[in-house]
Amino acid sequence: MAGSGTFSEIIDGDVYKYYVDGQWKKSSSGKSVPIINPTTRNTHYKVQACTQEEVNNVIDSAKKAQKLWAKTPLWKRAELLHKAAAILKENKAPIAECLVKEIAKPAKDSVTEVVRSGDLISYCAEEGVRILGEGKFLVSDSFPGNDRTKYCLTSKIPIGVVLAIPPFNYPVNLAISKIAPALIAGNSIVLKPPTQGAVAALHMVHCFHLAGFPKGLIGCVTGKGSEIGDFLTMHPGVNCISFTGGDTGISISRKAGMVPLQMELGGKDACIVLEDADLDLAAANIVKGGFSYSGQRCTAVKVVLVMEKVASSLVKKVNEKVAKLTVGPPEDDCDITPVVTESSANFIEGLVMDAKEKKATFCQEYKRKGNLIWPLLLDNVRPDMRIAWEEPFGPVLPVIRINSVEEGIHHCNASNFGLQGCVFTSDINKAIMISDAMETGTVQINSAPARGPDHFPFQGIKDSGIGSQGITNSIHMMTKVKTTVINLPAPSYTMG
Ligand code: G3H
């Protein structure tokens, strides 16, 4: 059970502690933040409401610890990461239980999230040893007066303190995707988990504690964004910010100043289906891509753009699959579970009502109970409807019928977002041309959008983000280039 056994140290009474300088502590604020179970809508856990002074302490401690960590051999860093991965996987059951209760993620997907995170840590450790063990050597050439008199040695050095802010939908995995590359690269970490998902994240941090990382190297503060959010992101002690979430990322990027940013924000991932597509394959991917974790993934399929000629057949196939989705509590491992908060459910309902007023075709009856919204496919959606452009982050999927490939690409590119997109066709040449034309970070051919495999580059453009993620890219992003130039005396002879 969460908070017991291995994890008894991280809780005091009914409030989870925060983590500073290798210790689990209560906040001096005496206040806590409730975490509401999306299914029961009752308070399920409580976490500390940390103060700005406590944030200062966590950052100071991370700064000190990083100095020594930067000098720790790569193999030793990797060894500790492998240990943390093993402890995390051993504790997949209690951590998954937190995910079920805090964010209503279906039980099996919750376990998968923890296991995937363990694998990510191990891969990162291996990759880091190779990437960071190499440097570059250049000899001056071609620029007048410098011929072969300068030798340039370049290597990658740690960046310092990395602030990691993951979102509610992957509080463990998207924390790990920031923590593991930061640590292997010789940095320290300050983690600010999302409120929903904070307890799963605290359990994950405890796995790093048990693995024996130096004290201070990892710190974790919990609390209200309104109290400590700006304070953290504008803190002079922070050297890099890796954020995944919504619009807040845009305001962070405006306030953060001269620190490297890695941001993954929202998406409106379009799925273009051509006349020559395998419609069974497209329908299976649309349902999986659009409705897994109830559509609460930034890479979910968020709009289907299908050629008119095959639209009715595709919609029929998608509807047959939607009818088979199970709806209910995450404990029963249902496909569709309650969305994370009541305000999210209200927002989704607003989009549905707008589509209703503007006469979209409802393929299923709209049904909601508390935070639970039944899966809904909306056909004949038009560009004047909000759902054509806005991200529901819920189990509602619009279908827009198109008359040309150009129309589909135009709709995709008119979006403020540019995370991923996908195209279904049996013509690889056409698929590549469409991929080139779509203004998104990634285009999937004949499959739904997805971040993984976790070592692939992952990036959004426009309002979908800055920088590229994926294990290798994150390691590079969390290091600085250091160059040393050896200057030789000018040769006293003239070449040939
Ligand atoms: O929600 C944002 C995630 O980066 C999506 O990850 O494609 O593995 O579900 P995923």
Side-chain angles (χ1 to χ4, degrees):
M1 219 180 103
S4 64
T6 317
F7 298 102
S8 52
E9 203 185 322
I10 74 173
I11 190 165
D12 179 75
D14 64 345
V15 188
Y16 278 86
K17 300 182 202 165
Y18 77 104
Y19 188 59
V20 56
D21 212 31
Q23 288 176 300
W24 290 98
K25 285 194 176 170
K26 282 162 71 177
S27 168
S28 62
S29 72
K31 292 187 195 147
S32 63
V33 179
I35 296 172
I36 313 291
N37 180 326
T39 312
T40 63
R41 296 197 287 164
N42 294 323
T43 298
H44 198 94
Y45 300 115
K46 289 179 195 158
V47 294
Q48 305 292 328
C50 289
T51 63
Q52 295 187 350
E53 198 191 333
E54 284 156 351
V55 168
N56 276 336
N57 295 340
V58 169
I59 293 176
D60 280 355
S61 166
K63 209 153 207 75
K64 279 187 205 122
Q66 192 269 330
K67 301 268 180 267
L68 256 185
W69 183 246
K71 296 193 171 80
T72 304
L74 265 170
W75 67 264
K76 183 79 193 157
R77 296 182 209 162
E79 192 177 75
L80 284 173
L81 281 165
H82 282 302
K83 211 166 159 192
I87 297 171
L88 187 78
K89 284 190 187 176
E90 273 161 29
N91 289 288
K92 61 179 189 255
I95 300 176
E97 185 192 329
C98 300
L99 294 172
V100 167
K101 302 294 182 204
E102 285 184 282
I103 61 164
K105 186 168 272 196
K108 276 193 197 136
D109 291 353
S110 293
V111 173
T112 304
E113 174 169 349
V114 182
V115 174
R116 172 182 179 182
S117 304
D119 293 344
L120 199 161
I121 298 173
S122 300
Y123 196 106
C124 205
E126 297 291 317
E127 196 71 353
V129 168
R130 280 156 194 84
I131 296 175
L132 299 162
E134 272 185 7
K136 261 190 183 169
F137 170 64
L138 299 174
V139 183
S140 59
D141 191 16
S142 356
F143 298 97
N146 286 326
D147 287 359
R148 301 193 74 82
T149 57
K150 289 175 185 285
Y151 289 172
C152 171
L153 308 172
T154 297
S155 62
K156 293 271 188 169
I157 59 168
I159 204 158
V161 176
V162 175
L163 172 62
I165 310 183
F168 83 83
N169 61 348
Y170 284 98
V172 174
N173 184 260
L174 279 169
I176 293 287
S177 73
K178 303 169 191 323
I179 294 172
L183 291 179
I184 192 67
N187 303 296
S188 57
I189 273 284
V190 172
L191 174 68
K192 164 65 179 75
T195 299
Q196 304 287 141
V199 172
L202 291 167
H203 282 69
M204 173 272 292
V205 168
H206 195 53
C207 296
F208 283 81
H209 172 84
L210 295 173
F213 279 87
K215 67 178 187 142
L217 194 69
I218 303 164
C220 181
V221 283
T222 52
K224 293 209 160 122
S226 55
E227 282 280 318
I228 56 169
D230 279 356
F231 189 75
L232 266 166
T233 53
M234 295 164 77
H235 199 289
V238 165
N239 305 111
C240 169
I241 302 176
S242 180
F243 172 92
T244 308
D247 290 357
T248 323
I250 296 175
S251 78
I252 292 177
S253 71
R254 292 198 178 112
K255 293 175 191 162
M258 292 279 282
V259 295
L261 300 176
Q262 184 183 52
M263 301 236 158
E264 182 209 339
L265 313 181
K268 185 73 184 171
D269 295 9
C271 173
I272 298 182
V273 183
L274 303 191
E275 286 159 355
D276 63 356
D278 174 339
L279 294 185
D280 290 311
L281 180 72
N285 275 277
I286 287 167
V287 173
K288 187 163 176 268
F291 294 102
S292 56
Y293 187 35
S294 308
Q296 297 174 111
R297 296 166 51 240
C298 49
T299 48
V301 171
K302 297 206 178 103
V303 58
V304 177
L305 301 160
V306 55
M307 293 294 281
E308 179 66 58
K309 206 169 157 194
V310 290
S312 297
S313 314
L314 180 76
V315 165
K316 185 168 173 278
K317 286 177 192 290
V318 171
N319 277 328
E320 282 163 11
K321 293 187 187 300
V322 168
K324 291 189 187 138
L325 294 174
T326 53
V327 181
E331 289 82 355
D332 294 353
D333 206 37
C334 290
D335 299 311
I336 304 294
T337 54
V339 296
V340 69
T341 59
E342 191 175 343
S343 66
S344 309
N346 292 344
F347 176 77
I348 297 162
E349 185 162 294
L351 295 179
V352 171
M353 291 307 135
D354 175 77
K356 191 173 181 188
E357 250 169 55
K358 294 172 183 159
K359 308 261 181 291
T361 307
F362 279 53
C363 299
Q364 294 79 22
E365 181 197 350
Y366 172 65
K367 216 169 141 194
R368 170 181 173 186
K369 196 171 167 205
N371 292 4
L372 186 60
I373 292 178
W374 270 250
L376 176 61
L377 190 76
L378 296 172
D379 194 4
N380 295 306
V381 164
R382 291 185 321 269
D384 63 325
M385 300 177 192
R386 287 176 58 202
I387 193 79
W389 306 104
E390 293 180 44
E391 187 185 20
F393 233 66
V396 178
L397 183 57
V399 176
I400 298 180
R401 295 171 175 236
I402 53 173
N403 291 300
S404 67
V405 174
E406 290 71 23
E407 195 185 333
I409 293 169
H410 176 79
H411 184 94
C412 166
N413 292 351
S415 169
N416 290 338
F417 293 115
L419 189 59
Q420 292 209 357
C422 62
V423 53
F424 285 86
T425 172
S426 50
D427 183 337
I428 187 67
N429 296 330
K430 237 188 243 172
I432 290 171
M433 273 157 53
I434 292 170
S435 169
D436 280 350
M438 283 172 93
E439 293 169 1
T440 59
T442 302
V443 174
Q444 305 267 351
I445 297 173
N446 292 328
S447 188
R451 171 167 46 113
D454 290 329
H455 63 307
F456 278 19
F458 178 53
Q459 56 280 315
I461 57 170
K462 301 195 271 187
D463 285 355
S464 289
I466 308 173
S468 183
Q469 301 174 68
I471 289 171
T472 311
N473 285 347
S474 293
I475 293 173
H476 282 300
M477 188 265 171
M478 292 173 183
T479 52
K480 294 183 281 197
V481 174
K482 177 67 191 247
T483 294
T484 302
V485 180
I486 303 169
N487 288 277
L488 303 179
S492 54
Y493 55 88
T494 348
M495 295 292 287

